[in-house]
Amino acid sequence: MAANTAPVKWAQRKDSLYLTIALPDVKDHQVELTDRKLVFQGTSGDKLYKLDLEFFKEISAEGSVWNVLPASVQMKLNKKEQEDEFWPRLLLDKNQEKTNVKIDWDKYVDEDEAEGNEFDMGALDGGMDFGGMGGMGGMGGMGGMGGMGGMGGMGGMGGMGGMDFSSMMQGMGGMGGMGGMMGGDDEEEDMGDSDDDADLPDLESSEEPK
């Protein structure tokens, strides 16, 4: 499917830009933002649209937001350098701006009227933060934590059971035998006591009659 160039409108304030990709019912959309470029792809009316914009100056993804609406895709992008003057244009390439970009007159204000005249952010309520996009993708990697299941391999420590239990039992039995031997000593001592008692003289019989 051949890609068409997505139509873009823009307006600015001293600290930010507001872009509108004027496509209804956008599906299968992909949006990537860097400090100098915006790359968009999506389908609308069974047609594929793409957009690759290189900005006049750097912007900051942190705090920049975007939202897919029934009639368009809208985004507010923060300028990296908070300046006192408006940008002379949106894109670095003048020719590309002439063919792909239009002024959004609904949001446009003169530079000397910009103070206190902020963008209406109602269309971006519930939108997505560009600053968190990369981190969200990285969360998929958390699935790799499932690899921790490999810790089950620690069960292999049971391999210590490779010790000969029969030998251990025999050895323990031998210990029991030792206990018997010890008990035998006690019996011999008891028997020795009995022999000693037998050797004692009969005190009554040994007394001489008076």
Side-chain angles (χ1 to χ4, degrees):
M1 182 186 296
N4 302 279
T5 300
V8 181
K9 299 186 298 182
W10 82 293
Q12 67 173 315
R13 300 294 184 268
K14 292 180 179 180
D15 62 346
S16 59
L17 312 172
Y18 200 106
L19 271 65
T20 299
I21 301 175
L23 294 173
D25 301 320
V26 173
K27 300 176 182 178
D28 303 322
H29 50 78
Q30 298 177 17
V31 181
E32 180 181 351
L33 181 70
T34 66
D35 57 355
R36 291 303 296 262
K37 296 187 71 174
L38 172 70
V39 178
F40 165 84
Q41 177 175 309
T43 57
S44 175
D46 296 326
K47 294 181 180 180
L48 176 65
Y49 289 88
K50 290 185 178 182
L51 195 63
D52 191 337
L53 304 178
E54 184 174 2
F55 298 113
F56 180 74
K57 290 186 178 182
E58 291 186 353
I59 62 169
S60 174
E62 194 66 34
S64 296
V65 294
W66 64 292
N67 201 7
V68 179
L69 303 169
S72 62
V73 178
Q74 299 187 26
M75 57 192 71
K76 177 180 176 288
L77 310 178
N78 293 328
K79 295 178 179 178
K80 191 167 187 178
E81 297 179 4
Q82 305 294 311
E83 301 176 339
D84 294 332
E85 297 181 356
F86 275 16
W87 289 4
R89 59 183 182 273
L90 175 65
L91 304 182
L92 187 63
D93 187 334
K94 291 182 180 180
N95 294 326
Q96 184 185 14
E97 182 151 358
K98 288 178 181 179
T99 56
N100 293 358
V101 180
K102 296 180 179 180
I103 299 294
D104 187 344
W105 295 108
D106 292 332
K107 294 180 172 58
Y108 174 85
V109 296
D110 288 330
E111 185 173 351
D112 56 359
E113 298 176 353
E115 190 70 29
N117 195 347
E118 304 299 331
F119 289 122
D120 180 358
M121 299 288 288
L124 297 176
D125 288 344
M128 288 166 278
D129 189 339
F130 276 113
M133 287 180 67
M136 290 173 66
M139 289 176 70
M142 292 178 67
M145 291 178 68
M148 291 178 67
M151 291 178 67
M154 292 177 66
M157 291 177 66
M160 293 175 64
M163 296 174 62
D164 190 340
F165 277 103
S166 61
S167 298
M168 290 178 62
M169 295 298 292
Q170 291 176 3
M172 292 176 66
M175 292 177 65
M178 291 177 64
M181 292 175 62
M182 294 175 66
D185 291 340
D186 292 337
E187 291 176 2
E188 289 178 6
E189 289 178 7
D190 293 337
M191 291 177 64
D193 293 341
S194 300
D195 293 340
D196 291 342
D197 293 338
D199 294 337
L200 289 174
D202 187 350
L203 295 179
E204 294 180 356
S205 61
S206 61
E207 290 181 359
E208 295 180 356
K210 296 182 180 179

